[in-house]
Amino acid sequence: PTIIDMSKRSQSIRRFMMKALFGNFFVANLLLAAPMAIGQEKKDDPEFVSVGIGAFDFNRRKDEGFEYRLEYRSDRKLLKFFKPFGAVAVSTSGHGFFGGGVLIDLFFDRRIVVTPSFAPHIYIGGDNDLDLDYPLQFRSQLEIAYRLDNRARVGFAVSHYSNASLGDKNPGTETATIYYSLPLEKIISR
């Protein structure tokens, strides 16, 4: 190996180490802050109707389109932390999802809410550009939202759909979504 090859290899190793260090630092801080954030949760936080529009398959770009989501997020808690939710989503590129799962609202200050969620979905669609290869998809998502004075939220989320290798292939895809979550009581009282 030449000095140039060794220098490139050294730069590559440094970049990998920095990414790993940053990733581990981020995860460690989130895990350490989670108990404090859960403790700050507002007991009167309402149930929500959330609407989202996002960039479907934004990373792989095999079958890009818009994804439109509608979610109901309950205010009830399972095992003291998990809130159930239901969702339906369609993309302009011919993919559809219907499912439900659980989420956790983590409050950082009274304005910032981080919401990881997980939900199995029934998948309909697929074409030659992108076929997720199994009717059952698992969607994991991380949302960061700003909580308004009326308790509505404006957020940004990144989600991943995967068949968890239940199909012959597991292509998966991601969506970046902008959400507006309105307390259900605001909709009903109008």
Side-chain angles (χ1 to χ4, degrees), residues 10-190:
S10 175
Q11 288 175 352
S12 177
I13 291 170
R14 271 191 296 234
R15 272 190 300 242
F16 173 79
M17 293 298 288
M18 290 303 292
K19 286 180 184 177
L21 182 63
F22 177 75
N24 288 334
F25 178 75
F26 178 77
V27 169
N29 277 313
L30 188 60
L31 290 174
L32 289 172
M36 178 179 61
I38 289 172
Q40 291 178 2
E41 183 171 348
K42 313 297 184 228
K43 292 184 184 210
D44 63 346
D45 207 40
E47 56 192 334
F48 290 97
V49 171
S50 300
V51 293
I53 183 170
F56 181 79
D57 198 36
F58 73 91
N59 63 327
R60 295 182 52 207
R61 299 180 182 222
K62 287 187 161 205
D63 202 11
E64 296 172 274
F66 288 103
E67 180 178 291
Y68 301 98
R69 288 190 68 78
L70 178 64
E71 297 180 0
Y72 165 75
R73 299 179 182 187
S74 178
D75 60 344
R76 305 222 185 264
K77 291 187 186 137
L78 309 169
L79 303 174
K80 295 185 181 183
F81 301 110
F82 301 103
K83 294 181 180 179
F85 75 97
V88 62
V90 295
S91 76
T92 57
S93 50
H95 304 268
F97 303 90
F98 173 76
V102 294
L103 59 83
I104 300 175
D105 284 330
L106 304 172
F107 290 82
F108 296 87
D109 188 28
R110 65 182 207 107
R111 297 284 185 190
I112 305 300
V113 185
V114 175
T115 306
S117 63
F118 177 79
H121 281 63
I122 300 298
Y123 168 63
I124 302 165
D127 55 29
N128 290 336
D129 294 327
L130 178 64
D131 183 355
L132 297 180
D133 196 45
Y134 204 76
L136 180 61
Q137 295 291 313
F138 299 93
R139 179 179 151 274
S140 52
Q141 176 173 284
L142 183 64
E143 177 184 351
I144 300 173
Y146 182 80
R147 188 171 155 176
L148 305 173
D149 287 338
N150 67 355
R151 298 192 295 184
R153 299 177 186 177
V154 177
F156 174 77
V158 174
S159 61
H160 173 71
Y161 291 103
S162 169
N163 69 26
S165 297
L166 295 172
D168 294 332
K169 296 177 289 178
N170 186 13
T173 191
E174 282 73 33
T175 301
T177 307
I178 295 174
Y179 276 102
Y180 181 70
S181 298
L182 188 65
L184 185 60
E185 63 195 27
K186 303 283 186 197
I187 296 170
I188 293 173
S189 65
R190 290 182 181 194

